[in-house]
Structures are given as structure tokens and as C-alpha cells.
Amino acid sequence: MKKIISFLIAAVIAINVNVAVAAESLNKTELVSINGYFCYEKDGQYWTMLDGDEYLIFNLDDYTMKDAGGSFSKNELSQYSTLNSNCPIGNPDGWYYCGYIDFSSGGSYTEGCYISSGDYDSKIYYTGPLAQTAKYIAKISTKQVLTNTYNVKIYLHNINQNKWETPVSSSLSFSILTPAHILVTGTTSQLYDGFALKFLQNSTGETPFYYTITVS
């Protein structure tokens, strides 16, 4: 519970810095993933870049939480509190696991994608077991203006076989005219209770970029 509470109230403190200096730091330092943020180490601290600004990352697990027991109701526990938990459906073989998002009640989630130094594994998107008549639509969208194309492998977790199927290769192009693509829809959703995306380094689109997964 301490880890869940820590994540829910965790914050990044914005620091205004020279963008050129920050970009130079990114190029010279190896990136690591911390709660979905791609970070680099500087002066003994971890930093990340968001929209041209440099942010300092604080890990609240290093602090003692006092008087927090029972202070969060079930409704206040965000679906994103599962980021550091073990996913109910596991993950594809060889996956760089960095948590999962619980979409069993729908919702949306935005994360960054960095493919300049290699393929990028998304979080696991868990939709949960569905009734036979239930359907959902999962889509991916960006706010990119110019056309950017990404080679993507789409992994689906089969409910009946309880395993990850062989990925489907796809090419997704985003622009101001085509901001979104459907990933899973219609009756096919009855066969799957989760999915994941691998963005390939050989894509021609800009990086880093942010995308949003929406399940409804």
C-alpha cells in the first residue's frame, strides 16, 4: 500500500533550464525508465525532459508516509496505481516490463516513446475478463501535426489460451488529419484481455513523442 500511495501522490518538480544544455545531457547520458518517465542521471539525481523543460524526479518511496493509512478510498485509488505491480496476464517473452495499466473500467493513459537508441516496449494494457456480450474499442492517438510513421508490433493476450499471441506487424502514421488509429475493436475484443505495443527503432517518425491509449 505504501508503494501505491507513493505513486499516487508522487510529483515532478519543474526546473526551468536552458533547453540546449538539457538536450546535450540527454545525448550524452543513458536513459532509464522510472514510473514511465525516461530519465537520465545528473549530479546524483534523476531528471527527465517534458515539452522542452527539464524536471527533477522525486522517488517518494524514500520518504516515510505518516498518517496515510485509510486516507484513500477505493474510488480515489487510480487505475494507474498498478504501474509497479505484477500484471495479471504477464508480458510477452523478452519484454522490458515497466508496469501495466488497468483498463478494466476503461479510461485513457499517455506515455512517452523513445526509439532513438532501440526498440521501445510499452506498458501492458490490461482490459480484464469481459462478459460474452461485452465489447470495447482500444485506440492510439497523438497530437503530432506533420506526418510521422512508426513501425509497430501489436501483441494481444488470448483469454482462452491464456497466452500472448504472435504479434501483428503494422505501420501507423499520425498527423493533424489522422490523429488516431483503432487497435482492437468489435467482437475481437471478446477474445483478448490485454495488449501491448513495441515501437521499432527503424521507424521514420520523430522521437521522442507522446501517445495516448484510450479504451472505451
Side-chain angles (χ1 to χ4, degrees), residues 76-111:
E76 290 172 326
L77 289 176
S78 166
Q79 61 196 36
Y80 310 134
S81 65
T82 55
L83 277 171
N84 290 323
S85 303
N86 292 326
C87 182
I89 56 177
N91 48 268
D93 291 340
W95 202 257
Y96 180 80
Y97 179 73
C98 56
Y100 77 102
I101 305 300
D102 188 347
F103 278 135
S104 56
S105 298
S108 63
Y109 181 77
T110 299
E111 66 175 307

Side-chain angles (χ1 to χ4, degrees), residues 61-136:
D61 283 340
D62 293 336
Y63 297 86
T64 301
M65 300 297 296
K66 297 181 179 180
D67 301 325
S71 62
F72 289 89
S73 69
K74 182 177 180 180
N75 292 334
E76 290 172 326
L77 289 176
S78 166
Q79 61 196 36
Y80 310 134
S81 65
T82 55
L83 277 171
N84 290 323
S85 303
N86 292 326
C87 182
I89 56 177
N91 48 268
D93 291 340
W95 202 257
Y96 180 80
Y97 179 73
C98 56
Y100 77 102
I101 305 300
D102 188 347
F103 278 135
S104 56
S105 298
S108 63
Y109 181 77
T110 299
E111 66 175 307
C113 177
Y114 297 79
I115 53 175
S116 58
S117 58
D119 297 343
Y120 170 80
D121 295 345
S122 74
K123 293 179 175 62
I124 305 299
Y125 303 113
Y126 175 63
T127 57
L130 300 172
Q132 288 297 315
T133 57
K135 297 180 181 179
Y136 68 86

Side-chain angles (χ1 to χ4, degrees), residues 8-23:
L8 289 175
I9 67 173
V12 289
I13 307 301
I15 307 295
N16 292 322
V17 299
N18 184 284
V19 174
V21 174

Side-chain angles (χ1 to χ4, degrees), residues 140-160:
I140 180 173
S141 61
T142 75
K143 294 183 178 180
Q144 293 171 318
V145 176
L146 301 178
T147 300
N148 285 274
T149 302
Y150 301 93
N151 298 322
V152 181
K153 290 185 177 181
I154 303 173
Y155 293 76
L156 298 172
H157 187 265
N158 190 296
I159 295 176
N160 297 327

Side-chain angles (χ1 to χ4, degrees), residues 5-14 34-35 37 46 48 50 55-61 63:
I5 294 173
S6 296
F7 176 75
L8 289 175
I9 67 173
V12 289
I13 307 301
I34 301 177
N35 280 348
Y37 294 96
Y46 281 103
T48 190
L50 294 175
Y55 291 78
L56 176 63
I57 301 296
F58 281 90
N59 181 5
L60 294 189
D61 283 340
Y63 297 86

